[in-house]
Amino acid sequence: MVIKRKWIFDGEAPWSDASRVLLKLDTGSWRTERPVLDREKCNYCGLCALYCPPQCMRDKGDHYEPDLGFCKGCGVCAKECPRAALKMVPEGEFLNG
Ligand code: SF4
Ligand code: SF4
């Protein structure tokens, strides 16, 4: 059997394959805080990416970084990180660069 229809959801796709095609909502505009990584603490375990609800943690080869276009600032990644390598920082601290 050949599946001809490709399922593309109009809304945000929870537990997607992290394909940017499936990340439709501009959840980055909701954010009041953003996760900031301490690279020294990160051991590249990937738990932050696993638990991120919109699946917007990007694999950078030796660490993960949030795609701020879609990160909604929920803080789940920081909560789940076993090494406390992610810290939620208020957006106001980034207003002037
Ligand atoms: S969960 Fe923490 S230690 Fe693991 S990859 Fe993410 S930031 Fe790094
Ligand atoms: S705060 Fe962390 S878990 Fe929440 S959306 Fe952003 S990257 Fe994902």
Side-chain angles (χ1 to χ4, degrees), residues 34-50:
R34 70 174 68 173
V36 174
L37 177 68
D38 181 340
R39 294 268 304 265
E40 295 292 315
K41 292 182 182 173
C42 177
N43 68 355
Y44 192 43
C45 68
L47 285 178
C48 52
L50 178 67

Side-chain angles (χ1 to χ4, degrees), residues 15-50:
W15 302 107
S16 73
D17 61 356
S19 163
R20 199 171 179 93
V21 174
L22 293 176
L23 292 167
K24 296 284 189 181
L25 292 181
D26 176 20
T27 46
S29 65
W30 305 354
R31 199 176 53 244
T32 58
E33 292 182 314
R34 70 174 68 173
V36 174
L37 177 68
D38 181 340
R39 294 268 304 265
E40 295 292 315
K41 292 182 182 173
C42 177
N43 68 355
Y44 192 43
C45 68
L47 285 178
C48 52
L50 178 67

Side-chain angles (χ1 to χ4, degrees), residues 7-9 11-24 46 48-60 64-67 70:
W7 293 98
I8 302 293
F9 300 97
E12 185 180 3
W15 302 107
S16 73
D17 61 356
S19 163
R20 199 171 179 93
V21 174
L22 293 176
L23 292 167
K24 296 284 189 181
C48 52
L50 178 67
Y51 284 106
C52 172
Q55 295 285 281
C56 68
M57 270 290 180
R58 297 285 171 255
D59 186 344
K60 297 295 183 179
Y64 286 85
E65 285 179 9
D67 180 338
F70 296 100

Side-chain angles (χ1 to χ4, degrees), residues 35 52-54 56-57 66 71-77 88:
C52 172
C56 68
M57 270 290 180
C71 169
K72 64 181 80 170
C74 65
V76 170
C77 54
M88 299 306 292

